[in-house]
Amino acid sequence: IADLGPLLDAAHEVLRLVGVSSPALDVLVSAARAAGAWGAKLSGAGLGGTMLALAGEPDVEGVRQALLAAGAVHTIHTQGGA
């Protein structure tokens, strides 16, 4: 699953370059990556405030805290199965 991280990062970069991201989303994506997420990208049509980050269980709380510190209003943790 960690191999999906760089694909999320690349997808976000494309979306940023075509103009559907926003400075606020870019800050959240960067904060998630800096806190140990394997990758992150905006979700939906962009220009809003939704993004997703993929992280291993040991890094989830750090990523969540980094997102809140960077201005996220809410975070949701969804755990995948094996």
Side-chain angles (χ1 to χ4, degrees):
I1 290 185
D3 292 341
L4 295 174
L7 298 174
L8 294 174
D9 291 342
H12 183 77
E13 183 60 15
V14 169
L15 294 165
R16 188 187 68 76
L17 290 172
V18 298
V20 297
S21 188
S22 67
L25 281 171
D26 293 340
V27 166
L28 293 175
V29 166
S30 293
R33 290 177 186 151
W38 293 326
K41 68 176 286 295
L42 68 83
S43 183
L47 301 177
T50 303
M51 55 82 64
L52 61 92
L54 182 64
E57 191 62 36
D59 294 314
V60 168
E61 185 58 24
V63 170
R64 189 181 82 77
Q65 290 298 326
L67 289 169
L68 292 170
V73 177
H74 301 286
T75 64
I76 299 170
H77 171 208
T78 302
Q79 186 172 350

